[in-house]
């Protein structure tokens, strides 16, 4: 070996050692605090890894790790104003004097994973994608208050709003992951899904994309050059297991470390498995039984049963929700208070729901003219029986249990409910076309309850029961648009009281969600907006490392 | 074999019609089923967005228009676009078929070979306790639901022997060396292949036993034995004569193996053709579903064709139209 080659090798070795020393900080025991592999069992394969196209729940953890927003919402999920937000791609922002425009200054050190600098053009391009008619994205309607995005210079993007609202900052930041214009703007927006980046994404997050084995796994690895610092973990592998039984086999066989949404029947087994622990995964969801307020055969007419508020209130009072929830979810569910999870309701004591009261329920049905004229146990009026269907998905054991329990409770007041268990697409079609009497549904709420307009107001297209009440609409609108926090709480209380009184649905349960996680992971508290929010802060206890944690960031065969 | 050629052309044409009809039926069934690609996006996606998806993908067009569009693309060799995987359907189908073959090919060969051996052994020992108990055992294994059999094998194979329980390869496969990668791939094949093989043995052994037992009772066997031919030689000749029913059923079972081991694929997380089709049906992914049907029906046609050719090889009289030995007078 020549002296020159020797020198070259020595330099390379020294540089490698330095790089390792920089990349892998050590704790007092001398163990590296970075490194480790997290294998997550994913219930479905994402359709795409382009934000705006692939933002379904199965893509959410990966997108949140690969891409960044301009700013991130704080742990309290406060949507009003900008106080709770932390800078991400933007280092600072400036409101105009009339608050109708907001200028973001981008982080000058921010780079795409291919090395290009992040620029204001990326921000403008992203807004164009999210609001394009050619891209069917479910976030589009949520940014409708933003009129346009202008580029002042390469590091300054200005958002122009149509009107002032407390959620302006939230609208500008929460719904959009910034996308790389330099890689996508030559592609017609209608063909964006066919872009190579849909399956080989380039982002700015603290993890970068590594590989996607179709229908098997998606792997992301630590970006060791990220200006905000590398994540503790070396890699996260999302191992795709659409069958829940197979997913649990994978978990209990030690082939995976995390299974989200573990079922109640598996909790005991997790508790018995020494390597696993149960982690509370607070989710902002609630379930309900919705009454169709319009006649499915003639939507111009009220529903023959549920068009009458007395019937809806009576059926609501006929349900002992405490018992129903306990039977359906055991201790893993809470009785829902209103059409929102209690964590998002500003004041849960400011309104009262309908009580469980069989005597009042029967009296209310009597007063509405529903009596059991032929003594067959089912009430009737003018020859019409108080009989209806309950649609439920056949894929959800909890929903099935709910329908059977509801059927029994309705029977006690002389209502004949027939559960109809449908394949999920059939159920969705029936609900979309409003061809149902009642259905068991559920919503994942957005921070700040901004999704209330879409789900329950008269203009919301998620309002499948066709509930219409201008008082409720106005209260929701006022609650979401006022800058006065106390007034907002009052408006929310009024809105919840109104919808509870109108009883377009029976608010049944807030299921508690748990995930099973390998004990070697040290994780910050999980947040309601996603267990993966702080994924870069997850780490492995050096003393408990297993083989797959020791691989390091060396190259893999592709 | 040359005599088969005119018939072969006819059979291929018939096969084409079968494939076309099956694919058309699959297309129509999927269109008539409740919901579409937009519905399958889920309730959390706003209705307006789902309506826009329908408009963008032409899902509101009349069924004949959609059908003609699909047919035009198929004729051009364009299998369309997988909406559930957001990529062309052809690579989806090719990957799924390859995965299926990796599982099914060894399982088919093993189950055919072992099933024929077991069936022949049973036929030779017909009526004895060995025949009765082995018959009961194979029937029991065949009758057990596939998923249960798979779970049992996982319990034993993973729990006791440490074999991989799920997947085609370990999630860390890409970081292994060449030999480790090969070992990993083979280890992941063990449990699913054994599951499919056990099911297959139940089928083939019963056919083999039944047909060989029939042949062993034929007069020519008694004559051969009485004439002093060695027993192994006679059994060999009888086995050859008893092959036809087994080959016939093998040709029919092969496509069922390729596209029909859905449950086993689900339990072992093996993304084969059946698993892919199931996922595609749930997502109303029409192009992938019809593609899977085209592949499945093509394999059925080819399986039947291959069986016919093998039958002729085994019994050349079939090519001449003489289906059985006519008694001749001397």
């Amino acid at each position: 070996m020549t002296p020159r080659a020797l020198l070259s090798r020595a330099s390379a070795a020294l540089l490698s050692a330095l790089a390792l020393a920089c990349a892998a900080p050590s704790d007092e025991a001398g163990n590296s605090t970075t490194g480790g592999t997290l294998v997550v069992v994913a219930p479905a394969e994402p359709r795409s890894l382009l934000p705006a196209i692939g933002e379904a729940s199965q893509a959410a953890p990966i997108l949140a790790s690969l891409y960044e927003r301009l700013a991130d919402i704080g742990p309290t999920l406060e949507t009003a104003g900008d106080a709770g937000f932390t800078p991400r791609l933007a280092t600072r922002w400036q409101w105009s004097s009339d608050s109708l425009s907001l200028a973001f200054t981008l982080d000058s050190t921010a780079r795409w994973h291919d090395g290009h600098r992040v620029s204001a053009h990326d921000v403008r391009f992203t807004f164009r994608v999210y609001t394009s008619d050619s891209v069917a994205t479910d976030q589009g309607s949520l940014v409708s208050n933003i009129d346009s995005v202008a580029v002042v210079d390469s590091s300054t993007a200005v958002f122009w709003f149509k009107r002032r609202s407390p959620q302006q900052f939230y609208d500008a930041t929460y719904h959009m992951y910034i996308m790389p214009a330099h890689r996508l703007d030559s592609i017609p927006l209608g063909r964006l899904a066919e872009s190579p980046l849909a399956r080989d994404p380039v982002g700015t997050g603290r993890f970068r994309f590594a590989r996607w084995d179709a229908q098997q796994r998606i792997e992301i690895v630590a970006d060791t050059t990220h200006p905000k610092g590398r994540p503790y973990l070396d890699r996260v592998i999302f191992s795709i297991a659409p069958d829940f039984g197979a997913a649990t086999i994978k978990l209990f066989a030690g082939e995976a470390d995390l299974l989200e949404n573990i079922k109640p029947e598996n909790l005991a087994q997790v508790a018995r498995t020494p390597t696993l622990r149960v982690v509370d995964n607070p989710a902002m969801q609630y379930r309900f039984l919705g009454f169709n307020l319009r006649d499915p055969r003639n939507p111009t007419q009220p529903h023959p049963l549920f068009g009458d508020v007395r019937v809806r209130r009576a059926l609501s009072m006929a349900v002992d929700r405490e018992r129903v929830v306990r039977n359906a979810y055991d201790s893993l569910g809470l009785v829902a208070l209103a059409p929102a999870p209690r964590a998002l309701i500003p004041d849960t004591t400011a309104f009262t729901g309908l009580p469980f009261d069989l005597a009042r329920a029967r009296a209310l049905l009597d007063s509405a003219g529903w009596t059991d004229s032929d003594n067959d146990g089912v009430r009737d009026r003018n020859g019409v029986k108080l009989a209806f269907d309950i649609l439920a998905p056949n894929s959800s054991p909890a929903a099935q249990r709910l329908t059977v329990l509801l059927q029994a409770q309705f029977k006690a007041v002389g209502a004949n409910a027939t559960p109809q268990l449908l394949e999920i697409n059939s159920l969705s079609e029936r609900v979309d076309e409003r061809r149902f009497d009642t259905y068991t549904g559920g919503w994942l709420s957005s921070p700040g309850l901004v999704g209330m307009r879409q789900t329950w107001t008269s203009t919301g297209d998620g309002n499948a029961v066709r509930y219409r009440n201008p008082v409720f609409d106005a209260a929701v609108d006022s609650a979401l648009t006022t800058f006065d926090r106390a007034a907002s709480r009052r408006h929310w209380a009024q809105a919840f009281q109104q919808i509870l009184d109108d009883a377009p649905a029976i608010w049944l349960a807030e299921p508690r969600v748990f995930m099973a996680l390998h004990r070697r992971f040290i994780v910050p508290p999980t947040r309601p907006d996603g267990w993966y929010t702080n994924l870069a802060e997850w780490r492995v206890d050096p003393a408990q490392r297993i083989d797959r944690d020791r691989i390091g960031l060396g190259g893999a065969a592709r | 074999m040359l005599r088969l050629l005119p018939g072969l052309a006819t059979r291929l044409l018939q096969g084409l019609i079968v494939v076309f009809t099956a694919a058309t039926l699959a297309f129509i069934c999927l269109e008539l089923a409740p919901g579409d690609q937009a519905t399958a996006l889920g309730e959390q996606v706003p209705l307006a967005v789902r309506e826009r998806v329908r408009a963008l993908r032409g899902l509101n067009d009349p069924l004949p228009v959609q059908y003609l569009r699909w047919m035009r693309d198929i004729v051009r060799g364009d299998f369309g676009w997988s909406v559930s995987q957001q990529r062309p359907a052809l690579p989806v189908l090719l990957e799924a078929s390859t995965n299926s073959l990796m599982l099914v090919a060894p399982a088919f060969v093993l189950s055919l070979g072992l099933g024929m051996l077991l069936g022949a052994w049973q036929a030779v020992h017909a009526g004895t306790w060995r025949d009765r108990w082995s018959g009961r055992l194979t029937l029991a294994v065949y009758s057990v639901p596939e998923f249960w059999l798979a779970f049992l094998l996982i319990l034993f194979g993973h729990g006791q022997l440490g074999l991989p329980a799920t997947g085609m390869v370990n999630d860390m496969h890409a970081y292994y060396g060449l030999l480790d990668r090969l070992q990993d791939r083979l280890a992941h094949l063990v449990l699913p292949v054994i599951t499919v093989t056990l099911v297959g043995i139940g089928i083939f052994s019963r056919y083999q036993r039944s047909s060989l037992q029939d042949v062993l009772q034929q007069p020519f066997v008694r004559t051969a034995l009485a004439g002093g031919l060695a027993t192994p030689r006679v059994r060999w000749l009888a086995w050859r004569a008893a092959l036809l029913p087994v080959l016939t059923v093998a040709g029919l079972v092969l496509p069922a193996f390729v596209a029909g081991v859905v449950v086993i694929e689900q339990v072992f997380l093996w993304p084969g053709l059946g698993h892919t089709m199931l996922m595609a049906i749930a997502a109303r992914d029409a192009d992938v579903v019809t593609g899977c049907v085209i592949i499945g029906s093509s394999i059925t046609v080819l399986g039947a064709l291959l069986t016919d050719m093998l039958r002729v090889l085994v019994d050349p009289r079939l090519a001449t139209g003489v289906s059985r030995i006519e008694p001749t007078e001397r």
Side-chain angles (χ1 to χ4, degrees):
Chain A
M1 189 178 285
T2 64
R4 189 190 174 92
L6 199 64
L7 188 64
S8 170
R9 282 204 170 183
S11 314
L14 185 65
L15 281 173
S16 302
L18 276 173
L20 274 175
C22 295
S26 298
D27 60 15
E28 286 174 359
N31 296 318
S32 171
T33 53
T34 58
T37 299
L38 172 70
V39 180
V40 180
V41 189
E45 185 174 41
R47 289 186 300 134
S48 164
L49 289 181
L50 269 186
I53 290 171
E55 248 161 321
S57 56
Q58 55 266 35
I62 308 173
L63 293 178
S65 306
L66 294 177
Y67 294 93
E68 288 177 298
R69 301 176 172 112
L70 290 171
D72 269 346
I73 195 167
T76 58
L77 304 184
E78 177 58 62
T79 57
D82 59 6
F85 285 78
T86 51
R88 297 301 296 177
L89 277 179
T91 49
R92 59 181 189 274
W93 45 86
Q94 178 81 44
W95 290 93
S96 64
S97 55
D98 61 359
S99 296
L100 281 174
S101 73
L102 173 61
F104 286 96
T105 304
L106 301 180
D107 183 350
S108 59
T109 63
R111 296 281 184 278
W112 293 102
H113 292 147
D114 63 5
H116 270 73
R117 202 184 144 201
V118 177
S119 83
H121 296 283
D122 298 318
V123 181
R124 185 174 60 183
F125 172 76
T126 300
F127 177 72
R128 193 156 69 87
V129 172
Y130 273 87
T131 51
S132 166
D133 280 340
S134 309
V135 182
T137 171
D138 47 348
Q139 310 291 313
S141 63
L142 299 173
V143 293
S144 59
N145 188 30
I146 303 170
D147 179 70
S148 59
V149 174
V151 173
V152 175
D153 56 52
S154 67
S155 61
T156 312
V158 178
F159 282 67
W160 293 91
F161 295 90
K162 293 172 185 167
R163 58 191 169 275
R164 291 186 64 215
S165 98
Q167 285 84 30
Q168 277 170 270
F169 193 85
Y170 169 77
D171 290 345
T173 56
Y174 188 77
H175 306 298
M176 293 184 285
Y177 287 112
I178 305 303
M179 294 194 280
H182 69 284
R183 298 291 293 268
L184 294 168
D185 62 1
S186 60
I187 301 169
L189 292 185
R191 301 185 72 89
L192 213 53
E194 298 165 34
S195 150
L197 261 65
R199 297 185 76 82
D200 191 2
V202 171
T204 58
R206 291 170 74 183
F207 287 93
R208 58 170 68 222
F209 175 79
R211 73 186 61 247
W212 184 340
D213 300 329
Q215 295 195 68
Q216 295 182 70
R217 67 191 60 78
I218 295 172
E219 180 181 341
I220 57 176
V221 294
D223 180 5
T224 52
T225 60
H226 199 278
K228 293 183 178 71
R230 63 155 288 173
Y232 287 104
L233 295 175
D234 279 341
R235 71 180 56 73
V236 182
I237 296 174
F238 295 87
S239 190
I240 296 152
D243 180 78
F244 190 79
T248 53
I249 290 174
K250 207 169 170 56
L251 177 77
F252 292 118
E255 292 174 358
D257 300 311
L258 187 154
L259 176 58
E260 204 187 346
N261 290 343
I262 193 136
K263 289 183 180 170
E265 51 268 36
N266 294 116
L267 282 172
Q269 196 181 354
V270 174
R272 283 197 306 271
T273 309
T275 53
L276 295 174
R277 67 189 171 107
V278 175
V279 177
D280 201 351
N281 182 17
M284 299 180 291
Q285 56 175 307
Y286 63 94
R287 298 200 66 80
F288 58 86
L289 177 82
F291 299 115
N292 195 346
L293 272 58
R294 311 301 300 178
D295 187 342
R297 283 167 288 280
N298 182 5
T300 59
Q301 296 295 315
H303 192 282
L305 309 180
F306 306 121
D308 185 343
V309 67
R310 291 171 297 180
V311 174
R312 303 197 302 266
R313 287 174 63 91
L315 291 178
S316 297
M317 285 192 283
V319 175
D320 182 353
R321 293 181 301 150
E322 291 279 357
R323 227 174 82 197
V324 167
V325 171
R326 197 169 55 248
N327 277 290
Y329 295 98
D330 200 344
S331 57
L332 305 179
L334 299 167
V335 172
L337 301 176
R342 40 177 51 73
L344 293 179
I345 298 173
D347 183 357
T348 54
T349 61
F351 54 88
T352 48
L354 293 167
F356 168 56
D357 190 334
L358 280 178
R360 274 180 67 189
R362 289 189 183 111
L364 206 52
L365 286 172
D366 287 342
S367 70
W370 292 95
T371 54
D372 187 2
S373 62
D374 49 5
N375 286 322
D376 65 349
V378 180
R379 290 170 185 265
D380 54 274
R381 188 179 69 178
N382 303 330
V384 178
K385 293 275 185 195
L386 186 55
F388 52 90
D389 292 334
I390 304 177
L391 305 192
N394 61 6
S395 54
S396 165
Q400 290 174 32
R401 284 197 293 269
L402 277 178
T403 54
V404 172
L405 292 163
L406 289 171
Q407 181 188 31
Q409 304 231 329
F410 290 146
K411 195 178 175 186
V413 291
N416 182 19
T418 309
Q420 262 198 48
L421 302 179
L422 300 175
E423 186 260 347
I424 189 70
N425 286 310
S426 304
L427 174 68
S428 292
E429 189 180 68
R430 292 276 297 271
V431 173
D432 283 354
E433 293 173 356
R434 316 310 192 216
R435 286 190 291 119
F436 64 91
D437 293 322
T438 70
Y439 83 105
T440 57
W443 288 115
L444 277 168
S445 297
S446 319
L449 294 174
V450 294
M452 190 67 78
R453 281 200 185 103
Q454 276 79 30
T455 49
W456 293 106
T457 67
S458 53
T459 53
D461 66 11
N463 179 5
V465 299
R466 289 178 285 194
Y467 168 58
R468 305 269 184 277
N469 188 327
V471 176
F472 174 75
D473 289 356
V476 169
D477 206 44
S478 302
L480 287 172
T481 51
T482 180
F483 287 85
D484 180 342
R485 195 158 293 195
S488 176
R489 290 164 72 94
R490 279 199 309 277
H491 291 308
W492 276 125
Q494 185 193 3
F496 286 131
Q497 192 60 64
Q498 188 62 56
I499 198 167
L500 288 172
D501 290 345
D502 291 338
I506 302 176
W507 323 108
L508 291 170
E510 284 178 41
R512 290 178 67 195
V513 181
F514 292 93
M515 57 188 188
L517 178 67
H518 197 283
R519 283 187 183 276
R520 71 185 194 282
F521 290 94
I522 300 165
V523 300
T526 46
R527 287 173 40 153
D529 52 340
W531 59 266
Y532 44 82
T533 313
N534 294 318
L535 195 54
E537 308 304 322
W538 286 40
R539 58 197 174 92
V540 176
D541 178 357
Q544 297 188 56
R545 288 192 176 178
I546 60 175
D547 283 350
R548 60 175 172 257
D549 297 323
R550 300 190 187 100
I551 288 175
L553 275 171
R558 294 204 75 158
Chain B
M1 288 299 281
L2 286 174
R3 286 187 182 187
L4 279 176
L5 282 179
L8 190 69
T10 313
R11 292 296 300 274
L12 280 175
L13 189 66
Q14 286 172 344
L16 210 60
I17 294 169
V18 168
V19 171
F20 165 79
T21 309
T24 300
L25 282 175
F27 180 87
I28 293 170
C29 286
L30 205 64
E31 290 299 320
L32 296 181
D36 56 17
Q37 297 163 17
T39 315
L41 292 174
E43 283 292 303
Q44 297 289 340
V45 175
L47 195 58
V49 174
R50 282 180 277 154
E51 281 303 329
R52 202 160 353 127
V53 167
R54 284 192 184 94
L56 288 171
R57 294 184 187 156
L59 302 178
N60 294 324
D61 293 343
L63 184 60
V65 174
Q66 292 189 53
Y67 177 72
L68 286 176
R69 195 163 51 215
W70 169 76
M71 184 51 67
R72 180 200 62 198
D73 291 344
I74 288 289
V75 169
R76 288 176 181 168
D78 178 0
F79 278 69
W81 181 258
S82 165
V83 289
S84 61
Q85 298 195 31
Q86 292 288 319
R87 59 183 178 136
L90 192 58
V92 174
L93 297 168
L94 289 177
E95 282 168 21
S97 306
T98 311
N99 295 342
S100 276
L101 277 179
M102 281 170 63
L103 168 63
V104 164
F108 184 77
V109 171
L110 277 173
S111 56
L112 185 62
L114 294 174
M116 286 166 76
L117 272 177
L118 180 65
W121 181 79
Q122 286 175 319
V124 167
H125 296 94
T128 65
W129 67 270
R130 280 176 283 194
D131 171 40
R132 280 197 300 276
W133 280 101
S134 59
R136 282 169 194 161
L137 189 67
T138 49
L139 185 65
V141 171
Y142 180 64
S143 312
V144 164
E146 289 172 357
F147 75 90
W148 198 73
L149 187 61
F151 281 135
L152 272 185
L153 283 169
I154 288 173
L155 207 62
F156 177 73
H158 177 75
Q160 303 299 316
L161 306 176
L163 288 165
T166 58
M168 288 179 63
V169 291
N170 189 295
D171 286 322
M172 309 307 295
H173 181 85
Y175 295 92
Y176 293 167
L178 191 63
L179 277 178
D180 287 338
R181 283 215 298 275
L182 183 66
Q183 189 188 358
D184 180 49
R185 199 169 275 281
L186 290 174
H188 278 81
L189 270 170
V190 174
L191 292 179
V193 165
I194 290 178
T195 313
V196 182
T197 302
L198 285 177
V199 175
I201 285 176
I203 302 170
F204 294 124
S205 65
R206 294 193 75 74
Y207 273 90
Q208 179 67 84
R209 180 196 175 279
S210 166
S211 62
L212 184 56
Q213 202 189 357
D214 285 348
V215 173
L216 286 174
Q217 286 165 2
Q218 294 283 324
F220 82 87
V221 174
R222 284 200 302 275
T223 309
L225 286 170
L229 262 182
T231 307
R233 174 76 180 150
V234 174
R235 282 179 182 168
W236 167 253
L237 291 171
W239 178 77
R240 280 202 62 176
L243 267 183
L244 286 185
V246 184
L247 288 179
T248 307
V249 81
L252 297 173
V253 165
L254 177 64
F257 264 41
V258 175
V261 289
V262 184
V263 177
I264 294 170
E265 288 178 353
Q266 287 280 95
V267 173
F268 288 105
L269 295 175
W270 197 278
L273 210 54
H275 173 87
T276 301
M277 186 152 105
L278 207 65
M279 294 289 110
I281 289 171
R284 297 293 186 265
D285 195 343
D287 289 340
V288 172
V289 174
T290 47
C292 287
V293 171
I294 287 173
I295 291 174
S297 50
S298 301
I299 294 171
T300 307
V301 167
L302 289 175
L305 204 62
L306 194 69
T307 306
D308 285 352
M309 291 167 75
L310 283 174
R311 280 160 55 93
V312 170
L313 272 181
V314 171
D315 186 352
R317 289 171 300 166
L318 291 171
T320 64
V322 180
S323 59
R324 55 192 289 264
I325 300 170
E326 299 296 336
T328 52
E329 289 188 19
R330 290 185 184 238

